[in-house]
Amino acid sequence: MANQKGGVGKTTTAINLATALAAVGRRVLLIDADPQGNATTGLGVPIAPGRLSTYEVIGGSAPLRQAVLHTLIPGLDLVPSAVDLLGAEIELVNFERREYRLREAIRATPTGHDHILIDCPPALGLLTLNALTAAHAVLVPLQCEFFALQGLSQLIRTLQRVRQAFNPVLDIEGVVLTMYDQRNKLSGQVAADVRYCLGAKVYETVIPRNVRVSEAPSHGKPALVYDHRCAGSAAYIQLAREVLRRETRAAA
């Protein structure tokens, strides 16, 4: 899950997509690579000093498997964030193969999960680069606002550079439009422009602005657990179905 622009629903999408995939029987691992730790606290796991986290995994002091925590959601596991990740960008500069640290950690200790989702920071630094190098594909949450379009073009250029330099299999899994307000003409115009530019890469599912989705993190729960009947939860369930359909078509 990557977008260098903050506030686009990236972590919300990571949490709720992971929850929806787990709800249909998939074993899902969510790696919180964002020093803010919102994916961690959004799943009801407090940031705790001294606990193994993404920091130790990337730094090489602990194998991935040892940092995995079970969440209250059956089938959904978490590698939590930690405050130490704030310094990881600087520390990684001195590591050999610094762009490959997360990929090598994932490959060294397979966890048996069907899906590994990585929640990236809202920046294109070394933590995000590690995630992009480790991933098969990128899911881009895109807020339905004008400035988000400008950020998308920058992100696409970055993905092309990462593909050329570090990860030739990296692809855009899809772009999901978030915070869509049907009362706002701009939302509709942005959605139309993105679909015109990227075509089938844009998911049919659109995530609406929804108060219940916004409230859920303060309760340490995904929206699908906090209020599974709300419009936002229904949209994330539909997004999970679409992700699985695309996965099935790609494997055929």
Side-chain angles (χ1 to χ4, degrees), residues 5-20:
K5 187 177 184 301
V8 298
K10 175 181 57 61
T11 298
T12 299
T13 298
I15 291 171
N16 288 289
L17 178 59
T19 302

Side-chain angles (χ1 to χ4, degrees), residues 179-180 207-215 223 227 230-233:
M179 303 182 189
Y180 183 86
I207 311 300
R209 281 194 179 273
N210 186 256
V211 173
R212 303 297 276 174
V213 171
S214 300
E215 291 174 350
D227 184 353
C230 72
S233 293

Side-chain angles (χ1 to χ4, degrees), residues 173-192:
E173 171 72 17
V175 175
V176 57
L177 299 169
T178 62
M179 303 182 189
Y180 183 86
D181 186 347
Q182 62 182 0
R183 300 166 300 178
N184 187 334
K185 289 184 179 180
L186 179 60
S187 286
Q189 185 60 55
V190 170

Side-chain angles (χ1 to χ4, degrees), residues 148-170:
L149 282 175
Q150 294 180 319
L152 179 62
S153 61
Q154 181 184 352
L155 179 61
I156 290 174
R157 288 194 297 271
T158 298
L159 296 179
Q160 291 171 342
R161 295 190 189 104
V162 173
R163 188 183 300 120
Q164 292 169 359
F166 306 111
N167 186 2
V169 304
L170 184 67

Side-chain angles (χ1 to χ4, degrees), residues 201-222:
K201 286 292 184 184
V202 184
Y203 289 104
E204 295 176 13
T205 304
V206 174
I207 311 300
R209 281 194 179 273
N210 186 256
V211 173
R212 303 297 276 174
V213 171
S214 300
E215 291 174 350
S218 65
H219 296 270
K221 296 178 180 178

Side-chain angles (χ1 to χ4, degrees), residues 8-84:
V8 298
K10 175 181 57 61
T11 298
T12 299
T13 298
I15 291 171
N16 288 289
L17 178 59
T19 302
L21 290 171
V24 297
R26 298 300 181 103
R27 290 195 62 208
V28 183
L29 176 62
L30 177 56
I31 299 176
D32 190 351
D34 187 346
Q36 296 177 89
N38 291 335
T40 299
T41 56
L43 286 172
V45 178
I47 302 294
R51 181 179 58 200
L52 293 180
S53 68
T54 307
Y55 175 78
E56 284 77 20
V57 172
I58 291 179
S61 61
L64 177 68
R65 191 181 295 112
Q66 288 186 10
V68 173
L69 301 176
H70 299 303
T71 70
L72 296 176
I73 299 160
L76 175 54
D77 296 329
L78 171 73
V79 176
S81 178
V83 176
D84 291 337

